[in-house]
Amino acid sequence: MSACVPARADSARTKHVHPPHSPPPGGPRRFRVAGADVSAAIAVFLIALPLSLGIALATGAPLQAGLVAAAVGGIVAGRIGGCPLQVSGPAAGLTVVTADLIQRYGWRTTCAITVLAGLAQLGLGCLRVARSALAVSPAIVHGMLAGIGVTIAVAQLHIVLGGTPQSSVPENLVALPAQLANLHPADLAVSVLALVLLLLWPRLPGRAGQVLGRVPAALIAVAGATAVAALTGLVLPKVDLPSWSSHALATLPDGPVLGLVAAVLTTTLVCSVQSLLGAVAVDKLVAARPTPAGHVKRSDLDRELLGQGAANIVSGSLGGLPVAGVAVRSSANVAAGAVSRNSTMLHGVLVVIAALLLVPALELIPLASLAALVMTVGFKMISLNHIRTVTRHREVLVYAVTTGGVVFLGVLEGVALGIAVAVGVALHRLTRTRITHDEAEGVHHVHVRGQLTFLAVPRLSRLLHQVPHGADAVVELDGSFMDHAAYETLQDWQKTHISQGGSVDITGRRPGTRISEPAATDGCRCRPWTPWRNHQCDRPPAAPPSGADRQDTAGGARDRSRGGRLGRGSGEASGTVPADTAAHKTAGETTAPATGPSTPGTPGTPGTPGIPDGPAKPAIPANPARRSGGELARGISAFHRNTAPLMRRELARLAREGQQPSQLFLTCADSRVVTSMITSSGPGDLFVVRNVGNFVPLPGEESGDDSVAAAIEYAVDVLKVRSVTVCGHSGCGAMQALLGAGPGDGHTPLQRWLRHGLPSLERAHADTGTDADTGTDAATNADAGSGAAAHARSHARSRPRPRPRLAGREIADAAEQLCLANVVQQLEHLRAHASVARALRSGDLELHGMYFHLGEAQSYLLSQEAEGSVFELVPEIDLTA
């Protein structure tokens, strides 16, 4: 099948074998239109009818041409196009182009240009270049539409006042004073009435306003103005629809070749860009619908271009206006609940019926009411939201030049000017470099922001030579490109400065860029947050160990081979702290209690009761960098080189002001849980408390832990945090140890610490509806007098508690169930602390539960609204929207 022919929905239909023991297949499937499509088609038709007549009036074309384009756009583009819910027809964005073509070449040649533009669109669709049209700067597109809107509004203002528009905006502006001096009261009154209805109809208050607001304001405005004009007997120009038998069709183009080519290119450009941008906007509207009525496929832009081309060929051949996607009708179609392309096609059929049967009613419409309607559309094309957006992105110059070019020169000329200015702005940004020099505490800082090219070499050399001989210097490069001239300048100055007794530290440059051997980087190209052991960058060759080093290495290998780390959990690989963790650690982080290397009586030691042994790890080769703490030093060096220059000012501010965290974050000591990474927080945001199992011992217990209680009291009473979060995670070794604990466990510090998790074990078993025999026996045998266990048992038996669960999926295993129950239980323990209880009573503190799944890299928050203990997945939110 040719790429130029869109695939039919039934072209790949396969024959299905009739399965046994089932009813025979029915007859051919009947064509059905959903009720939502019918109501949406009626709503769009009521908007399209007056707008099509108004746009035809604004272009100077026969009024039937607007109806032809609306019908063809709905039926042809709706059936073939790649955006099911986009409504095509005569668009306001084409008004200026079409009006200019009619004045230059006449109506019939303009129809031929429309046909040629459709053929060009078919060719572009076959070449599959639709996506490349979206590469045009939005500032140019919005500027083009704004310029067209200004042109439409100024021209239609003359009709509103009872006059006739001129051929260009400057001429219309010059003729406006004379038009104001020669007003036609009847035209002005009808126009004002239409404008008032158009603006006030959507703002009707109360329930009646909600019901009546479903009728399009454009229809009410035109119908109201028509009724008043008919009842009062006003004499003013009205719609004139000649007989369809005398309707003018396309003819062979007549005119200069270059002019015709430019006209075809202009029409193709405006039609294509407006339709493609409209299709993208429709996709966003469909995705934003709160209750989708059905599955609507995303737009196929190449097919949409083919559909628009076919529609323009048919519309031009039948004597219609150029066709493009129309934003007003498309948004109304989506808002009305359309679910398929049937709504667009049905709206086209309704336009055909109206054009054939409602001619006497249409001829009662005053032209002034249509002009008021189109003038309002023109003003709406000048979007203040778009102006704010381009201003925020520093592209207002492109927007202004494009708008001015379209208004005073024409659409093609304005777009060309906008593209030229956009290219110039882009080149200026690429070549613009800001270089500053300052001194702080005897260290001279040269900060280079932007791309470092030969154009910036004179300024760079001048500022570098302002650094005194023998001084300490730091050159901060904040850019992604450095050409050869800048490289040599920086390298020569560095060598000279070092030879004169000074020091040079070049920071912030792209990984792998080397200025000279003394300042060479480690060449690390690994992604951020890559664990040390997963770095693929070049390492120094390992020197053969000897003597005591060999013994230390062997001992370290034996220790590591014992395995069974707490962080390993349910078969997940144990991780280490990422290389840039030092750059992201939050202020006030504490750990209680910490676990060190595997020693007898700790997890990982073979034979420890209740804690399974992990698989043995192979001995790590004797690497001097590893043995001497080189991994840590390497990470610190990377922080000093890459992160410290970016964070130095912020850290200095925090050092001056002190820590003011808003959150107390209590989580497990597992090395794979990087708090600042999973919360996207920075220095000073979180006051972190970490321990094995993220436990919160009850206050006043004999086996309680004052370090956790002290951290809670300090965070709540001194730092005045506003919330406390208890975070558990999947594959927690402490939870695995609790599940495997046996009678008599409690001889080592770690086993005694794990007793703080017995209430969680009780909760997990009790929540399942069983008698919790295992948990009760473990708690009784381990410590019958333990305050935590006794409190948990009495609390569990005093009232039923819902089972913690994850929203959207089932619990994986008993370990995950215990992790969730542990978070809920530790939140209850938090409420028993006096400082927390006081803050909760006064409304100054919130408690939150969180579960982080390591394998999925997803976080769940304990819902405050759902019944029971439900952990809901945190959705991804576009913060730029």
Side-chain angles (χ1 to χ4, degrees), residues 797-818:
R797 293 166 182 169
S798 62
R799 61 180 179 87
R801 291 175 299 190
R803 178 179 183 176
R805 58 187 178 89
L806 293 173
R809 71 173 179 86
E810 298 295 329
I811 301 297
D813 51 24
E816 187 170 57
Q817 182 69 68
L818 180 56

Side-chain angles (χ1 to χ4, degrees), residues 169-195:
V169 174
E171 293 178 358
N172 281 321
L173 292 176
V174 171
L176 190 57
Q179 187 65 58
L180 290 172
N182 187 23
L183 292 176
H184 292 69
D187 295 87
L188 182 60
V190 170
S191 300
V192 171
L193 176 61
L195 288 174

